Amino acid sequence: MSVVALAPERPALVLDATDRAPALARRYLAVRFAELGYVDAYVGQVVVTELVTNSYKHVGFGRIVVRVLPEADEGLVLIEVADDGGGLPVVQEAADDALCGRGLLLMVRLVDDWGVRPLDGGGKVVWARCAR
């Protein structure tokens, strides 16, 4: 029988749904990227900012849970943001004079892949894979 040693997983970041959540998530992601040996966290910070901001603005209650996981086989990193909301994110083109509504569109263009999966008992996880 072979034994596989797994590195301990770093705990997820659990946030209150407040206007402070995006900044705390950016800080967590930067630290997590450094722990994983990734040099540039800029795209990851843009992605986590958008996903956490959407959770706090569009759900507005409960906890927001952020996880950052390496995907060694593909050279990508997985960013997950979970919340208690049932609504799904929708990518839309914003009108030229719109003051908001471009964040998810920008994020989609920066990542390799993204999606949403429901959680048992309610809520969802929005995830994105981006280059390290």
Side-chain angles (χ1 to χ4, degrees), residues 92-102:
Q92 302 176 42
E93 294 287 335
D96 289 339
D97 59 348
L99 298 177
C100 59
R102 293 178 183 83

PDB file of all heavy atoms in Angstrom, residues 92-102:
ATOM      1  N   GLN A  92     -22.806  40.986 -18.304  1.00  0.00           N
ATOM      2  CA  GLN A  92     -23.566  41.880 -19.166  1.00  0.00           C
ATOM      3  C   GLN A  92     -22.648  42.947 -19.735  1.00  0.00           C
ATOM      4  O   GLN A  92     -21.669  43.323 -19.104  1.00  0.00           O
ATOM      5  CB  GLN A  92     -24.657  42.588 -18.371  1.00  0.00           C
ATOM      6  CG  GLN A  92     -25.622  41.677 -17.685  1.00  0.00           C
ATOM      7  CD  GLN A  92     -26.617  42.468 -16.848  1.00  0.00           C
ATOM      8  OE1 GLN A  92     -27.107  43.491 -17.274  1.00  0.00           O
ATOM      9  NE2 GLN A  92     -26.896  41.978 -15.664  1.00  0.00           N
ATOM     10  N   GLU A  93     -22.992  43.436 -20.890  1.00  0.00           N
ATOM     11  CA  GLU A  93     -22.329  44.603 -21.440  1.00  0.00           C
ATOM     12  C   GLU A  93     -22.952  45.825 -20.777  1.00  0.00           C
ATOM     13  O   GLU A  93     -24.173  45.945 -20.715  1.00  0.00           O
ATOM     14  CB  GLU A  93     -22.524  44.679 -22.955  1.00  0.00           C
ATOM     15  CG  GLU A  93     -21.858  43.555 -23.729  1.00  0.00           C
ATOM     16  CD  GLU A  93     -20.342  43.686 -23.800  1.00  0.00           C
ATOM     17  OE1 GLU A  93     -19.821  44.810 -23.690  1.00  0.00           O
ATOM     18  OE2 GLU A  93     -19.684  42.655 -23.947  1.00  0.00           O
ATOM     19  N   ALA A  94     -22.134  46.720 -20.245  1.00  0.00           N
ATOM     20  CA  ALA A  94     -22.650  47.926 -19.600  1.00  0.00           C
ATOM     21  C   ALA A  94     -22.784  49.036 -20.639  1.00  0.00           C
ATOM     22  O   ALA A  94     -21.987  49.134 -21.582  1.00  0.00           O
ATOM     23  CB  ALA A  94     -21.707  48.373 -18.494  1.00  0.00           C
ATOM     24  N   ALA A  95     -23.790  49.859 -20.467  1.00  0.00           N
ATOM     25  CA  ALA A  95     -23.964  51.027 -21.329  1.00  0.00           C
ATOM     26  C   ALA A  95     -22.769  51.961 -21.143  1.00  0.00           C
ATOM     27  O   ALA A  95     -22.140  51.988 -20.078  1.00  0.00           O
ATOM     28  CB  ALA A  95     -25.259  51.743 -20.981  1.00  0.00           C
ATOM     29  N   ASP A  96     -22.451  52.725 -22.169  1.00  0.00           N
ATOM     30  CA  ASP A  96     -21.294  53.624 -22.104  1.00  0.00           C
ATOM     31  C   ASP A  96     -21.371  54.603 -20.936  1.00  0.00           C
ATOM     32  O   ASP A  96     -20.345  54.987 -20.384  1.00  0.00           O
ATOM     33  CB  ASP A  96     -21.152  54.407 -23.411  1.00  0.00           C
ATOM     34  CG  ASP A  96     -20.698  53.515 -24.557  1.00  0.00           C
ATOM     35  OD1 ASP A  96     -20.132  52.434 -24.288  1.00  0.00           O
ATOM     36  OD2 ASP A  96     -20.903  53.902 -25.723  1.00  0.00           O
ATOM     37  N   ASP A  97     -22.569  55.020 -20.565  1.00  0.00           N
ATOM     38  CA  ASP A  97     -22.706  55.997 -19.484  1.00  0.00           C
ATOM     39  C   ASP A  97     -23.003  55.353 -18.126  1.00  0.00           C
ATOM     40  O   ASP A  97     -23.226  56.058 -17.144  1.00  0.00           O
ATOM     41  CB  ASP A  97     -23.775  57.027 -19.819  1.00  0.00           C
ATOM     42  CG  ASP A  97     -25.139  56.393 -20.058  1.00  0.00           C
ATOM     43  OD1 ASP A  97     -25.220  55.148 -20.189  1.00  0.00           O
ATOM     44  OD2 ASP A  97     -26.130  57.142 -20.131  1.00  0.00           O
ATOM     45  N   ALA A  98     -22.963  54.028 -18.045  1.00  0.00           N
ATOM     46  CA  ALA A  98     -23.220  53.340 -16.782  1.00  0.00           C
ATOM     47  C   ALA A  98     -22.070  53.563 -15.801  1.00  0.00           C
ATOM     48  O   ALA A  98     -20.902  53.589 -16.201  1.00  0.00           O
ATOM     49  CB  ALA A  98     -23.411  51.852 -17.022  1.00  0.00           C
ATOM     50  N   LEU A  99     -22.403  53.739 -14.534  1.00  0.00           N
ATOM     51  CA  LEU A  99     -21.391  53.949 -13.503  1.00  0.00           C
ATOM     52  C   LEU A  99     -20.860  52.643 -12.922  1.00  0.00           C
ATOM     53  O   LEU A  99     -19.844  52.638 -12.238  1.00  0.00           O
ATOM     54  CB  LEU A  99     -21.969  54.814 -12.376  1.00  0.00           C
ATOM     55  CG  LEU A  99     -22.397  56.215 -12.796  1.00  0.00           C
ATOM     56  CD1 LEU A  99     -23.020  56.942 -11.612  1.00  0.00           C
ATOM     57  CD2 LEU A  99     -21.219  56.994 -13.353  1.00  0.00           C
ATOM     58  N   CYS A 100     -21.548  51.546 -13.158  1.00  0.00           N
ATOM     59  CA  CYS A 100     -21.105  50.255 -12.655  1.00  0.00           C
ATOM     60  C   CYS A 100     -21.572  49.169 -13.626  1.00  0.00           C
ATOM     61  O   CYS A 100     -22.216  49.460 -14.622  1.00  0.00           O
ATOM     62  CB  CYS A 100     -21.642  50.003 -11.251  1.00  0.00           C
ATOM     63  SG  CYS A 100     -23.426  50.019 -11.160  1.00  0.00           S
ATOM     64  N   GLY A 101     -21.221  47.928 -13.322  1.00  0.00           N
ATOM     65  CA  GLY A 101     -21.693  46.823 -14.146  1.00  0.00           C
ATOM     66  C   GLY A 101     -20.663  46.218 -15.077  1.00  0.00           C
ATOM     67  O   GLY A 101     -20.988  45.370 -15.895  1.00  0.00           O
ATOM     68  N   ARG A 102     -19.411  46.638 -14.965  1.00  0.00           N
ATOM     69  CA  ARG A 102     -18.375  46.117 -15.857  1.00  0.00           C
ATOM     70  C   ARG A 102     -17.436  45.117 -15.193  1.00  0.00           C
ATOM     71  O   ARG A 102     -16.620  44.502 -15.844  1.00  0.00           O
ATOM     72  CB  ARG A 102     -17.544  47.276 -16.407  1.00  0.00           C
ATOM     73  CG  ARG A 102     -18.295  48.174 -17.326  1.00  0.00           C
ATOM     74  CD  ARG A 102     -17.420  49.341 -17.804  1.00  0.00           C
ATOM     75  NE  ARG A 102     -18.191  50.224 -18.641  1.00  0.00           N
ATOM     76  CZ  ARG A 102     -18.985  51.187 -18.192  1.00  0.00           C
ATOM     77  NH1 ARG A 102     -19.105  51.383 -16.889  1.00  0.00           N
ATOM     78  NH2 ARG A 102     -19.666  51.938 -19.023  1.00  0.00           N
TER      79      ARG A 102
END
